[in-house]
Amino acid sequence: MIPSGFIQDLLARTDVVAVVGRHVELKKAGINYKGLCPFHGEKSPSFIVSPSRQTYHCFGCGVHGDAIRFLTEHHGLSFVEAVKDLAQEAGLVVPEDEATPQELAQAARAREQHATLNDVLEKAADHYRRTLKATPRAVDYLKGRGLTGEIAARFGLGYAAEGWRSLASVFPRYDDPVLAESGMVIVQGLDEGKSEAEQKRYDRFRDRIMFPIRNVKGETIAFGGRVLDKGEPKYLNSPETPIFVKGRELYGLYESRSGLRTKGYALVTEGYMDVVALAQLGFPNAVATLGTACTAEHVQKLLRFTEQVVFSFDGDAAGRRAAGRALEAALPHATDTRSFRFLFLPAEHDPDSYVRTFGADAFEAFVRNAVPLSRQLLEHAAADCDLSSAEGRARMLSQARPLWQVLPDGALRIQLLGELAMRGGLPAEELARLWQPSPGRGAAPRAEPQSDGGSGEPGSRRPRWQRHGEAPQRPQGRRQAPKRPEDRVLQMLFGQPAWWDTLASDEHDLLHHLPPPHGPLIAWLERDLAEHGARPWAVVREALADDPGLDAEARALADGDADPDASIEGLRRAVDLLLERRLKALTKELEVAAETDPDARRQFMVVYRQWLEVKNRVQKAPTEAD
């Protein structure tokens, strides 16, 4: 018996339009697709496929189902055969073992747990809505942001009172473990094994405007809270729970379903207030990521409702990096019939303020002129590359290759190859030969299960670069600590991903701008952290090995054992060495310009002092045994 959880995951990763479209000629009809029913003879199409519901339905003969049922009824496959076919396409392995009674009981308990968590969160949402109506200060805040009672009710906005235990009056047992599991109550001392009497409980959300986060079915699965006055953090989200994973959910998607149909595109923003305010101002098609980078699952979920997506970002360095991650998430879905665009607002504006300042028509025009995916790919690949030199053009092509390779086959992919070749100073045919794109999507071919060479376990996994012969196989066992600081930084950060947050934003920028393969690996790590949090090295290493976007050099550099002797002090020293190197080079450049330019002279003195400070810090730091 295949676990029900696997079936749900498989259907979530499967596009029913693509499955049916291989056997039925479908044409776009509003938000759905229409064609002639394959289950009965008809001359006028009455067979509808819905990407938003991931189902098909015939109004002529009444057949109805999902992707699995279509394969079973159209091809005569068994249920297991249909599941295996779809799983193979999705890159999943079907669990072969029969479910035991204990496993079935566990699945039933999981369903019951989900229902219980939903009940708790719905009850809390009702309480927050009532509290908002009874709190003039909170109502005045929302009115000051230009929101009406109607829009607040549509999004279910509420208010969490200032008290530490306001929810104690809502639930009969404030010490109920479900309150902590749902993320509504924080328990101090639980991890230390303290007794019930020693533990302290208090509400997670206090004195905040509350934004309920709903799934596509309209069920409350989490909350976001915004401070009314000054305070940190400005926005506070629920922690991840069995029913809430940030990388899979979009705020406002449930509320924007009709708006997506009306406007014809989704506008992805960065905050709850942007979504609500834009709905108030005539843009009911906005959604927001939940404090994390845009993921492939976000894109896939949006494409069930619309084929046009506009990502909105700030124009600063952080916004550019976020746009890079959204680009990577969108590329595998960028077929010739879909549109992805990138909107970079002026530094002094967010979407809300831009619409209020310039009006809805001006913002709509700004959206229409947003950067298309093709141009964003070219600009992203050319970042920090001197295209007037052969070295800069080669670096640009190196950065573009993993992005271009994940594009689906089609006219867009062919045209981008030509544009990249032109910018890189190469004939398109020569670039195609150099990159040697594989059949299909241009990624490395999937390898058949191979023997481990003597363990007697066919199908044992090895790193992808070993399976495809892209780099020589390294000896097993622990490797020596690398000599170069950029290698050292990578080894320590991949071994201890949580250390990334100990670095400052300017240090993040420094590492992002390292030449390939180091810079792309840093970007990969930050994206992995945003989507999954800090994961053990064994998990990260396997994810690296299976990522077709990384070339052999990058995978070989990241391959190996994490250094057990690494320390935050060692990371700090390695970053300082990179910073010293960068400041030293910049000092030399400014020294030449300072001879004729007074502004360069002043900048030289600032950078020179920074260089001396970092150099002195490096010299005083204890050296590690490399």
Side-chain angles (χ1 to χ4, degrees):
M1 178 177 179
I2 300 174
S4 60
F6 176 83
I7 300 298
Q8 293 169 4
D9 186 30
L10 176 62
L11 289 174
R13 295 174 185 236
T14 300
D15 185 0
V16 71
V17 176
V19 173
V20 175
R22 287 195 286 267
H23 311 283
V24 179
E25 183 178 352
L26 298 174
K27 294 183 178 180
K28 199 78 165 63
I31 65 168
N32 297 320
Y33 291 80
K34 181 182 286 188
L36 296 174
C37 180
F39 298 103
H40 82 287
E42 60 177 9
K43 296 182 179 180
S44 299
S46 61
F47 184 78
I48 303 296
V49 183
S50 169
S52 61
R53 293 191 298 271
Q54 285 295 294
T55 59
Y56 62 87
H57 180 81
C58 179
F59 290 93
C61 65
V63 296
H64 179 90
D66 54 23
I68 296 175
R69 187 166 182 177
F70 181 84
L71 293 181
T72 60
E73 294 188 356
H74 189 259
H75 287 295
L77 299 178
S78 69
F79 178 82
V80 174
E81 289 171 336
V83 169
K84 287 184 176 180
D85 278 4
L86 293 177
Q88 184 177 6
E89 294 177 5
L92 300 176
V93 178
V94 179
E96 294 289 346
D97 295 336
E98 293 286 338
T100 64
Q102 292 79 8
E103 290 171 336
L104 293 174
Q106 183 179 5
R109 287 193 297 269
R111 289 192 294 272
E112 184 179 353
Q113 177 193 41
H114 288 195
T116 302
L117 291 173
N118 283 135
D119 290 343
V120 166
L121 294 166
E122 291 289 358
K123 196 170 185 178
D126 290 340
H127 167 71
Y128 291 141
R129 285 192 288 268
R130 292 193 301 270
T131 306
L132 173 64
K133 294 178 181 179
T135 309
R137 174 169 159 265
V139 173
D140 291 342
Y141 171 83
L142 293 177
K143 287 182 177 179
R145 296 296 301 265
L147 302 184
T148 64
E150 180 183 359
I151 204 71
R154 178 183 167 191
F155 283 86
L157 302 190
Y159 171 68
E162 295 181 85
W164 286 85
R165 296 165 63 96
S166 298
L167 292 178
S169 62
V170 180
F171 297 95
R173 284 186 54 206
Y174 193 68
D175 60 350
D176 190 334
V178 178
L179 293 180
E181 188 179 5
S182 66
M184 301 309 301
V185 169
I186 294 175
V187 182
Q188 283 188 339
L190 183 61
D191 294 338
E192 291 82 3
K194 292 184 179 180
S195 65
E196 288 285 335
E198 294 173 314
Q199 293 173 3
K200 294 182 179 179
R201 287 177 168 81
Y202 55 92
D203 293 359
R204 180 179 298 274
F205 300 100
R206 304 179 303 281
D207 193 26
R208 290 177 179 269
I209 296 294
M210 298 300 291
F211 298 81
I213 300 167
R214 296 161 168 163
N215 61 21
V216 290
K217 295 186 291 186
E219 300 167 337
T220 301
I221 57 175
F223 288 96
R226 191 200 189 282
V227 294
L228 270 71
D229 303 312
K230 294 181 180 179
E232 294 295 337
K234 184 177 179 181
Y235 284 97
L236 180 65
N237 295 325
S238 292
E240 292 197 348
T241 68
I243 62 173
F244 174 57
V245 179
K246 291 186 292 185
R248 298 177 184 170
E249 303 298 338
L250 289 159
Y251 176 73
L253 183 57
Y254 172 74
E255 292 83 0
S256 68
R257 290 171 302 165
S258 61
L260 292 172
R261 291 191 292 268
T262 303
K263 287 288 187 179
Y265 69 92
L267 179 63
V268 183
T269 66
E270 297 186 284
Y272 306 112
M273 191 58 76
D274 282 334
V275 173
V276 180
L278 284 171
Q280 173 75 49
L281 297 169
F283 292 87
N285 55 322
V287 298
T289 54
L290 299 166
T292 185
C294 185
T295 67
E297 289 186 81
H298 287 148
V299 174
Q300 192 172 21
K301 187 166 286 190
L302 285 171
L303 291 175
R304 294 182 180 180
F305 297 88
T306 179
E307 291 193 335
Q308 297 188 56
V309 180
V310 178
F311 300 102
S312 174
F313 301 102
D314 296 335
D316 58 11
R320 293 285 172 178
R321 288 203 301 272
R325 292 192 289 270
L327 173 68
E328 293 169 1
L331 283 171
H333 305 282
T335 64
D336 295 343
T337 60
R338 290 170 176 165
S339 168
F340 295 96
R341 288 173 287 164
F342 296 79
L343 181 70
F344 296 98
L345 292 167
E348 66 274 15
H349 284 293
D350 56 27
D352 175 17
S353 66
Y354 192 95
V355 177
R356 294 184 189 279
T357 303
F358 300 104
D361 291 341
F363 184 72
E364 193 75 74
F366 200 57
V367 170
R368 284 196 299 271
N369 294 323
V371 178
L373 176 139
S374 56
R375 195 192 314 163
Q376 180 63 22
L377 186 151
L378 295 170
E379 293 178 359
H380 187 70
D384 303 314
C385 295
D386 178 12
L387 299 185
S388 65
S389 68
E391 292 84 355
R393 292 191 294 272
R395 180 183 176 185
M396 182 273 291
L397 290 174
S398 175
Q399 294 179 165
R401 182 180 182 180
L403 301 175
W404 177 83
Q405 283 182 321
V406 298
L407 279 167
D409 284 340
L412 176 62
R413 193 171 193 258
I414 297 172
Q415 290 181 80
L416 272 170
L417 180 68
E419 292 197 34
L420 287 166
M422 183 175 62
R423 288 200 178 193
L426 292 174
E429 297 79 6
E430 185 66 20
L431 182 60
R433 185 197 64 78
L434 181 65
W435 283 358
Q436 295 178 347
S438 301
R441 296 163 58 115
R446 183 175 299 173
E448 294 299 324
Q450 299 181 16
S451 169
D452 67 348
S455 68
E457 296 178 3
S460 295
R461 294 185 61 85
R462 292 186 290 167
R464 181 184 293 267
W465 61 265
Q466 292 181 16
R467 298 201 298 268
H468 301 318
E470 297 167 354
Q473 183 170 346
R474 293 176 175 269
Q476 297 301 314
R478 177 178 166 184
R479 61 180 177 179
Q480 293 182 344
K483 299 290 185 182
R484 296 191 302 171
E486 52 266 54
D487 294 344
R488 189 92 173 102
V489 166
L490 275 178
Q491 188 186 56
M492 287 189 281
L493 284 176
F494 274 99
Q496 298 287 344
W499 289 356
W500 174 259
D501 291 330
T502 68
L503 301 177
S505 59
D506 57 338
E507 293 168 333
H508 289 166
D509 288 339
L510 169 69
L511 298 179
H512 272 285
H513 286 86
L514 290 173
H518 298 84
L521 281 169
I522 288 293
W524 187 99
L525 175 64
E526 187 180 37
R527 182 175 64 251
D528 191 72
L529 277 167
E531 295 178 6
H532 305 289
R535 302 197 287 177
W537 167 237
V539 178
V540 172
R541 181 179 179 183
E542 189 66 20
L544 278 166
D546 284 339
D547 192 330
L550 296 175
D551 59 22
E553 184 182 5
R555 286 195 291 271
L557 181 63
D559 183 59
D561 294 327
D563 183 2
D565 300 324
S567 64
I568 291 182
E569 292 74 18
L571 175 65
R572 174 85 273 138
R573 172 177 166 78
V575 172
D576 278 345
L577 285 169
L578 292 172
L579 183 58
E580 180 196 10
R581 187 171 70 188
R582 179 180 180 182
L583 290 173
K584 183 178 180 180
L586 184 57
T587 299
K588 290 182 177 180
E589 292 177 11
L590 290 171
E591 187 176 13
V592 175
E595 296 178 0
T596 56
D597 186 348
D599 290 335
R601 192 176 303 121
R602 286 190 292 270
Q603 190 177 2
F604 166 79
M605 293 306 300
V606 172
V607 175
Y608 182 72
R609 284 194 293 268
Q610 292 175 340
W611 174 52
L612 290 180
E613 180 183 347
V614 175
K615 183 179 180 181
N616 185 54
R617 193 162 67 226
V618 168
Q619 290 174 344
K620 289 183 178 180
T623 59
E624 296 185 66
D626 293 333

